[in-house]
Amino acid sequence: MKLFIHISNFSNKYFAFITILVAVAAFYMPGGFNWLNNYMTILLGIVMFGMGLTMTPNDFKLVLTKPVPVIIGVILQFTIMPLLAFGIAKLLNLPPALAAGIILVGSVPGGTASNVMVYLAKGNVALSVTMTSVSTMLAPIMTPVLLYLLAGQWIPVNPFAMFISIIQVIIVPIVLGLIFQRFFPVAVDKSIEILPLISVIAISGVVAAVVSGNTENIASSGALIFVTVLLHNWSGLLLGFLVATVLRLNEETRRAISIEVGIQNAGLGTTLASTHFAAQPLAALPGAIAVVMHVISGSILASIWSKIPVNNNKKGNKREIA
């Protein structure tokens, strides 16, 4: 068991590096990974089941005790990122499928990896966990509606079908995880430390599936995809921090909101794109690239902030609401 825990810690620490290696392998040896396309929904469901195993009532405590930063953060999550994606799609005159793909990445909830990044960045971890949990629970409504409103001009969107998919892929596995945690707490406690390994394997499988099935698309428009994803990601991190600063939230909260806004559950975006836009395979690529890029940029930002002391008492930063 100790060996598995060690491997799990290693995989969590080097998640970005592992997914890059998997993506490169899938690009140059697609035949070895194509079979994963049949299991993308299951793979993401495993990740969400793991999230359910780790969720507790405390994850939602801030909604009742200090709701203002949670409300601000979630509103920014579902406004900054989808609107940024829409603006970038217009600015770069993206192909329809790619435009829909980046808007989908912008419309999904925050990713669970953001919680670790906020911790390393000396941010407000409780707020980060709550934002991830709340935005995830709101995803069945917010993601289809935002995609329908913003991406409908490029590609047909069936919001009801996507609502059902998100319920199946996110809510059902999370609820099952919560039930399992409730009735089998001892087993959960013994296995909790290897969950990062399972999540890394599952997300890497999603990335490998998309890359292996789109090698020609990546080769022909790879540079444009990378520019799109990086511009969206970095702009989200920056705007999240700037808006939190304008609202005079404290430094820990600024860092948490920045990372929560900028780091998306791109694995969900990839799976939804592959399921609902199967005729437009290019739509899944922004999500696959974002899985890797978000982890890399978030880790770099967290590393920088980890070296900068948090001072919540500076002039103009007195609004201690979180």
Side-chain angles (χ1 to χ4, degrees):
M1 188 65 175
K2 289 183 179 180
L3 176 61
F4 282 108
I5 293 174
H6 179 73
I7 296 174
S8 182
N9 291 335
F10 176 87
S11 66
N12 194 36
K13 183 177 180 180
Y14 295 102
F15 175 44
F17 183 69
I18 291 170
T19 50
I20 289 173
L21 288 180
V22 170
V24 171
F27 181 79
Y28 287 104
M29 297 179 291
F33 298 90
N34 281 330
W35 61 275
L36 289 169
N37 281 281
N38 298 321
Y39 301 97
M40 288 180 62
T41 300
I42 295 175
L43 289 170
L44 188 63
I46 291 172
V47 176
M48 294 298 104
F49 178 76
M51 182 178 180
L53 289 178
T54 60
M55 288 177 69
T56 68
N58 284 334
D59 293 345
F60 300 92
K61 183 178 179 181
L62 281 183
V63 178
L64 299 176
T65 59
K66 293 182 178 180
V68 175
V70 178
I71 293 172
I72 290 174
V74 172
I75 289 175
L76 294 180
Q77 170 80 54
F78 285 120
T79 54
I80 286 179
M81 293 307 277
L83 291 176
L84 267 176
F86 180 82
I88 291 170
K90 288 287 190 180
L91 177 66
L92 299 181
N93 193 27
L94 298 178
L98 188 54
I102 193 62
I103 291 173
L104 181 52
V105 171
S107 301
V108 295
T112 54
S114 60
N115 305 151
V116 177
M117 295 174 191
V118 170
Y119 170 76
L120 296 175
K122 299 179 181 178
N124 188 330
V125 178
L127 174 60
S128 174
V129 172
T130 301
M131 280 185 61
T132 298
S133 301
V134 172
S135 66
T136 298
M137 292 305 176
L138 290 175
I141 300 295
M142 297 304 300
T143 299
V145 169
L146 288 168
L147 192 65
Y148 177 77
L149 294 175
L150 299 177
Q153 63 179 282
W154 283 289
I155 196 169
V157 177
N158 186 332
F160 182 73
M162 189 163 288
F163 168 81
I164 298 299
S165 289
I166 297 175
I167 293 292
Q168 294 172 338
V169 175
I170 288 189
I171 304 302
V172 171
I174 286 177
V175 171
L176 290 176
L178 289 168
I179 293 173
F180 196 88
Q181 177 193 147
R182 172 68 177 82
F183 290 102
F184 305 99
V186 176
V188 172
D189 288 341
K190 289 183 178 180
S191 62
I192 204 75
E193 291 186 276
I194 66 171
L195 284 179
L197 173 61
I198 297 173
S199 295
V200 169
I201 292 173
I203 292 297
S204 296
V206 171
V207 172
V210 175
V211 172
S212 64
N214 290 276
T215 53
E216 292 184 6
N217 288 327
I218 294 174
S220 62
S221 58
L224 181 60
I225 294 172
F226 278 96
V227 169
T228 299
V229 171
L230 289 176
L231 183 59
H232 183 240
N233 179 212
W234 293 348
S235 298
L237 292 168
L238 177 61
L239 285 177
F241 185 82
L242 290 179
V243 174
T245 300
V246 170
L247 294 175
R248 300 182 64 201
L249 304 181
N250 68 47
E251 181 66 21
E252 286 182 326
T253 300
R254 294 178 192 177
R255 295 183 183 188
I257 288 178
S258 171
I259 292 174
E260 279 298 319
V261 169
I263 306 301
Q264 305 290 92
N265 188 343
L268 172 61
T270 304
T271 302
L272 291 175
S274 298
T275 301
H276 294 275
F277 308 136
Q280 303 281 350
L282 193 62
L285 289 183
I289 302 300
V291 169
V292 180
M293 292 302 151
H294 285 198
V295 173
I296 292 174
S297 59
S299 299
I300 291 173
L301 181 60
S303 178
I304 293 172
W305 268 336
S306 70
K307 298 176 176 61
I308 302 175
V310 175
N311 186 349
N312 286 327
N313 298 312
K314 290 182 180 180
K315 184 178 180 180
N317 189 29
K318 299 178 179 179
R319 191 171 176 177
E320 303 295 324
I321 64 172

